[in-house]
Amino acid sequence: MSLSILIMYAVAVLFSVIGAGLLLSLTRPSAPGKVYAFRMIGIMALSLGIVLFMSASAMWRWSVAA
């Protein structure tokens, strides 16, 4: 596994944790603006983490197959 793939996995985990943390923080009552921002940023960060994880996995499979 190359360094670039490891970095992609690390960034994917980081964004997934941040996104999940923001979404989990919505269980407490908050102002409407904060709820909107946390929901928007949390969903975007979590989806970025998932897409980066899938991309890193594909790169890893392609590098092993070659």
Side-chain angles (χ1 to χ4, degrees), residues 10-57:
V11 172
V13 168
L14 176 70
F15 275 104
S16 296
V17 168
I18 290 171
L22 286 173
L23 291 174
L24 287 174
S25 72
L26 292 173
T27 57
R28 295 178 299 226
S30 299
K34 186 176 180 181
V35 169
Y36 176 78
F38 276 29
R39 187 182 302 147
M40 179 80 70
I41 296 167
I43 289 171
M44 289 171 57
L46 188 58
S47 60
L48 175 63
I50 291 169
V51 169
L52 277 175
F53 188 84
M54 291 188 308
S55 180
S57 297

